[in-house]
């Protein structure tokens, strides 16, 4: 399915929960959030119905996100059901990694292809600070287990925060030297809990290239990828720069997002949403018609750089960002 600008929309990101077992300072409130009533969020069976309809419209890439998706009960069953469709070529999951050691093998056996691990520092004390009490060792153990069972290629997502982890850029890049690990630096976005942080802690991803001058640009052949990729000479992995602020990638955007409470978002950085849950539960409208409506409403680009733009109503953990 193509939108009004001719972009092929083949990627669905699914937030299965807005709950998380961490309290990262730029993402979650310190006190956490109130758990929604069970009927407020989509059941796993309903999520599967959305994926099935999306696949019939041409979606062949699915990513499961949260909050932290591994806190959602029976998630392995959803992974298994999606994999059983046979039409999803790339089934992935984004996680903070703290529960990955426990679930990695089961995820692989259920049909998951790969994982992205969110990790903003390699320093134990700083990790505890940014996550408000998390243990870095649990993430490292999860990362190693993911490699062991074959959830590859493994990607590490690093939100670049000025004055916090910009001194660790070389340490992260070095992880790509001897192993097929991709490290992707993501610019801090002014949404939700990060809105205040972004004003004082934002630094451009060009800082990475300034610090690591030996990086060589490479082309992966995927224009829809939000990352511009580089590598170290003789490095086995890649370094990605995701620049939603300094250089947006909307021209080739191929994705939609489904929130845990059943709203389909044509654009992450927009308040525009289509109610999929109502269609699922009322049966009054065909699910594919609803999804086509969302695709055709996809904007040309986000407006994060527009100071007069209406603030995003949802926090990132409620969108699956």
């Amino acid at each position: 399915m193509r939108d009004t600008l001719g972009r092929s929309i083949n990627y669905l990101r699914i937030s299965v929960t807005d709950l998380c077992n961490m309290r990262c300072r730029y993402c979650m409130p310190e006190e956490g959030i109130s758990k929604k009533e069970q009927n407020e969020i989509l059941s796993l069976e309903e999520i599967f119905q959305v994926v099935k309809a999306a696949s019939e419209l041409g979606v062949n890439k699915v990513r499961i996100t949260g909050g932290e998706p591994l806190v959602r009960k029976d998630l392995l069953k959803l992974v298994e059901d999606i994999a059983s469709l046979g039409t999803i070529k790339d089934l992935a999951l984004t996680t903070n990694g703290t529960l990955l050691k426990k679930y990695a093998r089961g995820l692989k056996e259920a049909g998951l292809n790969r994982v992205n691990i969110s990790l903003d520092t390699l320093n134990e004390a700083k990790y505890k600070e940014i996550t408000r009490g998390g243990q870095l060792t649990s993430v490292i153990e999860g990362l190693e287990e993911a490699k062991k069972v074959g959830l590859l290629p493994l990607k590490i997502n690093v939100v670049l925060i000025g004055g916090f982890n910009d001194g660790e850029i070389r340490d992260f890049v070095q992880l790509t030297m001897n192993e097929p690990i991709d490290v992707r630096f993501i610019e801090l976005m002014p949404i939700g809990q990060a809105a205040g942080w972004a004003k004082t802690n934002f630094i451009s991803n060009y800082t990475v290239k300034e610090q690591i001058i030996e990086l060589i640009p490479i082309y992966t052949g995927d224009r829809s990828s939000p990352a511009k990729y580089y590598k170290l000479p003789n490095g086995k992995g890649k370094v990605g720069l995701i620049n939603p602020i300094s250089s947006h990638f909307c021209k080739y955007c191929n994705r939609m997002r489904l929130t845990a409470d059943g709203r389909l978002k044509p654009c992450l950085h927009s308040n525009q949403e289509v109610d999929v849950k109502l269609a699922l539960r009322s049966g009054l409208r065909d699910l594919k018609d609803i999804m086509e409506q969302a695709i055709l409403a996809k904007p040309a680009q986000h407006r994060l750089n527009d100071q007069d733009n209406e603030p995003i109503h949802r926090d990132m953990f409620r969108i699956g960002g």
Side-chain angles (χ1 to χ4, degrees):
M1 174 93 185
R2 294 186 180 274
D3 68 3
T4 56
L5 297 175
R7 294 172 295 194
S8 179
I9 311 304
N10 68 335
Y11 183 8
L12 179 64
R13 292 180 62 107
I14 303 167
S15 173
V16 295
T17 180
D18 54 10
L19 299 176
C20 188
N21 58 344
M22 307 292 280
R23 297 291 180 266
C24 294
R25 292 177 182 273
Y26 62 83
C27 182
M28 294 284 290
E30 184 173 4
E31 68 278 9
I33 61 171
S34 300
K35 186 176 182 179
K36 293 181 181 292
E37 296 294 329
Q38 187 172 356
N39 67 348
E40 292 184 84
I41 65 171
L42 294 180
S43 68
L44 296 183
E45 291 78 11
E46 288 172 329
I47 293 173
F48 174 70
Q49 289 304 312
V50 174
V51 175
K52 187 173 185 293
S55 72
E56 293 171 2
L57 290 174
V59 166
N60 57 18
K61 181 177 182 179
V62 170
R63 175 171 297 279
I64 298 170
T65 71
E68 170 49 48
L70 293 180
V71 304
R72 180 73 190 259
K73 185 179 179 182
D74 297 328
L75 183 67
L76 295 185
K77 179 63 166 58
L78 176 63
V79 172
E80 185 176 17
D81 288 344
I82 294 174
S84 72
L85 284 173
T87 53
I88 305 303
K89 297 178 181 178
D90 186 11
L91 179 54
L93 177 140
T94 295
T95 173
N96 60 33
T98 57
L99 300 174
L100 196 51
K101 182 179 180 181
K102 177 180 179 181
Y103 290 110
R105 184 169 297 279
L107 288 166
K108 180 65 176 179
E109 292 174 351
L112 192 76
N113 300 127
R114 57 191 181 88
V115 292
N116 287 15
I117 298 176
S118 300
L119 180 61
D120 300 324
T121 177
L122 299 171
N123 179 283
E124 181 73 57
K126 290 169 68 175
Y127 185 81
K128 184 171 291 187
E129 173 194 347
I130 194 70
T131 59
R132 296 191 176 104
Q135 299 293 321
L136 179 61
T137 52
S138 65
V139 183
I140 301 303
E141 289 173 353
L143 188 153
E144 292 300 326
E145 186 68 14
K147 289 193 297 184
K148 180 180 177 181
V149 303
L151 288 171
L152 302 170
L154 186 67
K155 296 182 180 181
I156 296 175
N157 291 340
V158 185
V159 176
L160 198 56
I161 305 169
F164 176 73
N165 61 6
D166 46 328
E168 297 184 71
I169 290 174
R170 184 167 290 276
D171 294 332
F172 274 110
V173 169
Q174 195 60 35
L175 295 177
T176 71
M177 185 65 196
N178 299 317
E179 294 190 81
I181 294 175
D182 293 350
V183 172
R184 309 194 307 171
F185 294 95
I186 305 172
E187 289 179 338
L188 187 62
M189 290 177 278
I191 297 178
Q193 301 294 316
W197 275 63
K199 292 179 180 179
T200 55
N201 298 88
F202 173 83
I203 55 175
S204 166
N205 254 343
Y206 292 109
T207 304
V208 177
K209 291 197 293 182
E210 290 171 357
Q211 288 194 23
I212 318 294
I213 60 174
E214 60 267 36
L215 286 175
I216 303 167
I218 58 175
Y219 179 56
T220 63
D222 182 6
R223 293 195 303 178
S224 66
S225 172
K228 295 179 180 178
Y229 280 104
Y230 303 80
K231 66 177 298 184
L232 291 171
N234 301 316
K236 293 184 178 180
K238 300 190 295 293
V239 176
L241 303 184
I242 299 178
N243 310 321
I245 306 300
S246 64
S247 177
H248 68 75
F249 37 82
C250 305
K251 183 177 180 180
Y252 301 111
C253 184
N254 63 338
R255 65 197 63 191
M256 298 182 294
R257 290 171 183 262
L258 178 67
T259 65
D261 59 356
R263 303 287 178 142
L264 196 63
K265 295 181 68 67
C267 173
L268 168 65
H269 307 301
S270 167
N271 289 317
Q272 187 175 28
E273 300 178 347
V274 177
D275 193 340
V276 173
K277 182 171 65 178
L278 180 62
L280 279 164
R281 296 181 181 178
S282 69
L284 296 178
R285 290 191 63 184
D286 181 75
L287 189 55
K288 285 193 288 186
D289 285 345
I290 292 286
M291 302 188 79
E292 288 176 345
Q293 172 189 333
I295 291 171
L296 293 175
K298 190 172 177 66
Q301 67 181 62
H302 71 65
R303 297 175 61 196
L304 281 175
N305 294 327
D306 187 346
Q307 298 301 313
D308 298 323
N309 192 31
E310 181 184 6
I312 305 300
H313 293 160
R314 289 182 185 256
D315 287 293
M316 286 292 280
F317 59 83
R318 296 192 187 279
I319 303 173

